[in-house]
Amino acid sequence: MESTILTDYDMVLSLSESTINLLFSTLLQKNIIHQRWNIIITGDDDDKVKEIKFNEENFQDSLQDAITKNELKYALNFEMASPTISIDPDERLIVRLCIPFQKGTLYRFTLRRKIKEIHINNSQYAFKVKLKKIEKNVETTNWITEESKERFEKICQEIGLPQEIFTIESLFLDLENANYADYDKDLTNIPIEDVELKSIFQNLLGNVFGNLAKTKNPYILGYAVKLPKYENQPKALFQPTACRFSTSYRSKQENNTNAINYLMMTKNRSFPEGQQNLNKSLLEKITINNEIDDGVFAIDYELFGKNLIKPLLDAISEGIKLDDSKPELFYDLKKTDFLIKTSSKKREKFNQIASDLLKDTYLYLEKNLTVSGCLKNDSKTKKNLVLECAVDYYVDIKIEPYGIFHGGRYEKYSAKLSTTGQYKEGPEGKKGIPGFIKISIQPDTQGKMEIKIDEFRIPAIGYERENIPSADYDVVAALNNSAAKKEIDKDAENAMNNVKEILNKLKDNLQQKINSLTVNKLILPLGKIYTFNRIQLNEADLGDNTILFTVGYARME
């Protein structure tokens, strides 16, 4: 697969910086991200660390006890407002995590064994954090419980990565190994100027966020993975089996297009070698409705075409067989257009013309049926894809007498009728009208897709030309015009009835194929976490077709 936009990843989920920060706020309100944090470090007279206590429920009592025993070395207590991320303009595997302190205090013993308090109310501290990758290898993933680890391994063996990996809670920031001393001077304003105190503060903050798995609530920006207890997650047609992260940066003023990207592979394929990022933000490729859309989900067109479009074209190809012909399908999985054609030819003796002047007369009958079109955006709904198919048909009829005069050949009786024939009406009293098939494709609930036949028009054939030799100049014509004309009319009517029968049967077969693809089938992954609002074919980049969905974040327990 060679998608320039997706840089050889099978699928990408891009969530805007502003959306993630809004969801962080909701997580904090629901106490999924804890608001209150504290750490107490005690030691002895030799300045050795005796004990580190995280998130003590009775912080003030524990603090006072350590002070009374002359064991307190350092302590940090704070209430956090909603954390935010900002995309780093230079490093694509890094985000800047900003922790705002509504109120807080840093405690330390001085050399004179007195307590010094530094208040950090209404300030914030921002530092760089690396985005980790998620793979089936359970040993590279942080786990809250052994049970979660076993469950993850089982689900991966059965279907691939579970949906919970893609929640905002599981945004995989490597807080354990972050360099808390590498802070952002533009975003940081804690009132600690002393170098030694600032170093103590950074170490304490690192201890708080670097040891979250030991706390009662380890969820803080996805430090660890925890899976629910239910098993047997459904497998989607496009099921991710590996995921890594990157970022896309455009500008400070346009954080709606700055994004964190979940870069996914399917069918146990390996990540592209040396490729860690997208060339551009996917949020630039589709119009976002800020009221319902939180990001973009993209699928490589070749992957999408192979699994959804090609089966529909195969069903059409199998259904338009003429006589004993074998239909041909011309479809490049990297392109959106296609052509299906089938034809038949027949030559047989024609005995309806009787004359002593003739030796043999032959009837030639050629039929050709084509279905052509492309996948495109629906200009009416502006939220679906449509597979539009033009159905063209022609029948060419010739009656060719062979006799003893005029060099052995007489003028041919012939007629050609087609869906473009406008010379005169055909057997149904109509001039030529191409047939038309329109199939709409749109996202449905919880990862399903709705594919339906919106329009199915049977073509009509009219005469392009007709040649009946003049009886004034041709003795054979004078004897046989009536029989020849009758044969042409009959063959034209039979040809029209034949194509109507074929297409009516095709409609039923096509619906069966659609049912087999969609009924009780999960197409898109992450359907319990994201709503897929609109689908669009990226047409802006010539030769690089990508299927784009706008998505909204649905799960927030």
Side-chain angles (χ1 to χ4, degrees), residues 347 350 353 358 360-366 396-403 405-406 408-416 465-471 473-478 480-485 487-488:
R347 175 182 180 269
F350 182 66
I353 296 180
L358 298 179
D360 290 301
T361 300
Y362 284 93
L363 169 67
Y364 297 87
L365 189 63
E366 179 181 350
D396 202 347
I397 309 165
K398 296 176 184 176
I399 299 174
E400 185 174 320
Y402 184 77
F405 296 112
H406 305 290
R409 292 191 178 277
Y410 294 89
E411 193 171 354
K412 298 174 184 176
Y413 303 85
S414 66
K416 183 176 182 180
R465 56 176 169 75
E466 183 182 38
N467 180 48
I468 303 296
S470 172
Y473 302 101
D474 192 314
V475 64
V476 173
N480 301 293
N481 273 0
S482 176
K485 182 67 172 68
E487 178 65 25
I488 288 173

Side-chain angles (χ1 to χ4, degrees), residues 502-518:
I502 288 172
L503 293 176
N504 282 325
K505 187 176 181 180
L506 169 63
K507 185 177 182 180
D508 293 336
N509 292 342
L510 188 55
Q511 186 60 58
Q512 290 178 18
K513 174 58 70 173
I514 290 172
N515 292 344
S516 71
L517 290 171
T518 60

Side-chain angles (χ1 to χ4, degrees), residues 386-447:
V386 288
L387 188 65
E388 292 190 347
C389 315
V391 182
D392 293 295
Y393 182 57
Y394 76 76
V395 55
D396 202 347
I397 309 165
K398 296 176 184 176
I399 299 174
E400 185 174 320
Y402 184 77
I404 58 177
F405 296 112
H406 305 290
R409 292 191 178 277
Y410 294 89
E411 193 171 354
K412 298 174 184 176
Y413 303 85
S414 66
K416 183 176 182 180
L417 298 92
S418 73
T419 49
T420 59
Q422 299 296 304
Y423 170 64
K424 75 173 189 177
E425 289 82 0
E428 295 186 316
K430 301 176 183 177
K431 292 185 178 181
I433 304 172
F436 184 69
I437 303 171
K438 180 180 178 182
I439 302 171
S440 65
I441 303 171
Q442 65 186 72
D444 203 352
T445 58
Q446 295 196 348

Side-chain angles (χ1 to χ4, degrees), residues 100-115:
F101 305 103
Q102 288 182 329
K103 58 182 180 179
T105 305
L106 170 65
Y107 302 86
R108 68 160 298 187
F109 256 138
T110 66
L111 292 176
R112 296 180 180 180
R113 309 304 293 171
K114 291 185 178 180
I115 298 296

Side-chain angles (χ1 to χ4, degrees), residues 295-493:
V296 173
F297 184 86
I299 301 179
D300 175 77
Y301 180 77
E302 186 173 344
L303 179 67
F304 186 84
K306 180 180 180 180
N307 288 278
L308 276 185
I309 305 304
K310 179 69 161 46
L312 297 176
L313 300 181
D314 285 339
I316 294 173
S317 179
E318 293 163 6
I320 64 168
K321 186 176 181 181
L322 285 172
D323 302 327
D324 295 327
S325 65
K326 184 178 180 180
E328 296 178 279
L329 169 60
F330 301 91
Y331 176 57
D332 186 337
L333 283 169
K334 297 175 184 177
K335 298 180 181 179
T336 62
D337 58 335
F338 66 91
L339 171 66
I340 305 169
K341 65 178 184 179
T342 182
S343 61
S344 69
K345 293 182 179 180
K346 182 172 68 173
R347 175 182 180 269
E348 60 185 24
K349 280 194 173 184
F350 182 66
N351 299 318
Q352 303 301 315
I353 296 180
S355 171
D356 293 338
L357 303 175
L358 298 179
K359 296 173 68 175
D360 290 301
T361 300
Y362 284 93
L363 169 67
Y364 297 87
L365 189 63
E366 179 181 350
K367 294 183 287 185
N368 184 285
L369 177 61
T370 63
V371 179
S372 60
C374 67
L375 183 70
K376 59 196 296 187
N377 293 317
D378 191 337
S379 59
K380 291 183 179 179
T381 66
K382 300 188 183 304
K383 63 179 182 179
N384 303 337
L385 295 180
V386 288
L387 188 65
E388 292 190 347
C389 315
V391 182
D392 293 295
Y393 182 57
Y394 76 76
V395 55
D396 202 347
I397 309 165
K398 296 176 184 176
I399 299 174
E400 185 174 320
Y402 184 77
I404 58 177
F405 296 112
H406 305 290
R409 292 191 178 277
Y410 294 89
E411 193 171 354
K412 298 174 184 176
Y413 303 85
S414 66
K416 183 176 182 180
L417 298 92
S418 73
T419 49
T420 59
Q422 299 296 304
Y423 170 64
K424 75 173 189 177
E425 289 82 0
E428 295 186 316
K430 301 176 183 177
K431 292 185 178 181
I433 304 172
F436 184 69
I437 303 171
K438 180 180 178 182
I439 302 171
S440 65
I441 303 171
Q442 65 186 72
D444 203 352
T445 58
Q446 295 196 348
K448 295 181 180 180
M449 295 281 285
E450 182 179 5
I451 302 177
K452 62 180 181 178
I453 303 172
D454 283 343
E455 192 172 343
F456 199 100
R457 186 177 70 221
I458 301 293
I461 55 174
Y463 281 85
E464 283 188 27
R465 56 176 169 75
E466 183 182 38
N467 180 48
I468 303 296
S470 172
D472 295 336
Y473 302 101
D474 192 314
V475 64
V476 173
L479 295 171
N480 301 293
N481 273 0
S482 176
K485 182 67 172 68
K486 186 176 180 180
E487 178 65 25
I488 288 173
D489 289 343
K490 183 191 76 172
D491 289 337
E493 183 176 0

Side-chain angles (χ1 to χ4, degrees), residues 53-106:
K53 296 181 179 180
F54 297 99
N55 273 22
E56 289 285 291
E57 292 183 5
N58 299 311
F59 172 75
Q60 290 298 333
D61 292 342
S62 297
L63 178 67
Q64 191 58 47
D65 182 62
I67 293 172
T68 301
K69 294 178 180 179
N70 287 329
E71 292 180 344
L72 179 69
K73 289 175 65 64
Y74 314 108
L76 178 64
N77 176 45
F78 62 87
E79 289 187 14
M80 183 173 65
S82 178
T84 60
I85 61 160
S86 57
I87 306 302
D88 192 282
D90 301 316
E91 300 182 77
R92 289 294 176 259
L93 298 178
I94 298 290
V95 295
R96 290 171 294 185
L97 179 61
C98 182
I99 305 296
F101 305 103
Q102 288 182 329
K103 58 182 180 179
T105 305
L106 170 65

